[in-house]
Amino acid sequence: MTAATPEGRYHAPAAHFGVLALASSLGVPQDALATAHLYDVDPAQVRRLGYRRYHRAESSTTCTDLAARAGRAALDRAQLKTEDVDFLIVATGSSIPDYLNWDLSTAVAHQLGMLSTPTLLLNQGCAAAVLGFQQIAGLFATRPNLSTILMIAADRVPEEHTNRMRGNLESDGAAAVVLRRDHPSLRWIVTEQLTDARYADFFRLEYGGGAVPTAPDGASNRGLDPAHRVHLYFRDDPEGLLEFSRAVDTRVLDVLQGACKRAGLTVGEVSRLILLNDNQPSMRAIAKLVGIPLERTNAALSATIGHIGGADPLVCLNFYRSRGHLQTGEIIAMAGMSSGMHWFCTLLEV
């Protein structure tokens, strides 16, 4: 039988660790409406989706650079040196890395001066960072010599391949979190995941990989509609498309309920829901479905930050913590959906 925590609020997690420090590194702020024409997008669409601002990295700034900046800032906040870090995890949802046949995690380690620190690269779309907490739990549970782990989530839009405004408004940035064994603040409780591999090809980029290395004349990834494969898959199944559209939101609730059940909590005990930085209609729909006030989600932040892949929850968590918005004892859920298709949730206690 699972033991209870001393507080008696939830079942004891498999490993005991908390957040020692957080930091973010974002691209240059851009006005969404004023720059919509650069991406051949109607400003009315941007207005309807509720985005006001996004962040775009300078052309000379790579995803590696953004990750290293966030990592340094988090270590500074924690008053730690690089040699104090026992393990480095880098999480990214970017489908186009800085280079091919190359490891982003060791590239970031090199920039940070962690030349012999073990690293792990997580590349699971927008789910990577939130699911990273269960990998960290496994490391702490199986390696008693580990005390401090640095996880960095970073994404940079490859504009040669994708249109950052075609769909959700995508930003460039990174967030880093220093996790310490037995640390009492922002303690990890549980991580839950749902996967539906029927939709594995949804939202993929068509050209540049091993299957189709080069695009045909006149074609490019940038010209693809992100929803094209979804409609192609359901072209003869309108009921299936409707079911999938509902599942996009309802499975966020399902995975949140699953996480709460494993922890011995109820959804009603969750006081703050941090989703991916989605458009405003989508965030309103999920908040209503979950039964949490919109102001207890990151909807307002989403409109001014933009979608930074898997870094979204950590960027928002850093904002709330640094501004004193979090109350001791409250339960925070970081949840969402990722290409793949995955639905994911991690619960933390402040």
Side-chain angles (χ1 to χ4, degrees), residues 280-343:
Q280 296 300 297
S282 177
M283 300 194 82
R284 285 195 296 269
I286 294 177
K288 182 178 179 180
L289 183 68
V290 172
I292 192 167
L294 189 65
E295 59 270 20
R296 301 297 293 176
T297 75
N298 55 314
L301 283 182
S302 177
T304 60
I305 294 175
H307 176 43
I308 317 174
D312 284 350
L314 297 183
V315 170
C316 294
L317 188 64
N318 175 49
F319 178 92
Y320 295 132
R321 193 189 205 195
S322 63
R323 287 160 178 77
H325 293 177
L326 306 180
Q327 303 300 315
T328 301
E330 72 171 300
I331 304 296
I332 296 174
M334 300 186 294
M337 182 203 78
S338 171
S339 60
M341 303 281 290
H342 306 285
W343 288 262

Side-chain angles (χ1 to χ4, degrees), residues 30 36 50 74 106 110 121 133 138 173 178 183 199 216 230 262-263 288 325-326 341:
Q30 309 286 327
T106 51
H110 184 264
L121 176 63
F133 280 82
V178 180
H183 188 69
Y199 310 134
V230 177
R262 283 180 53 202
K288 182 178 179 180
H325 293 177
L326 306 180
M341 303 281 290

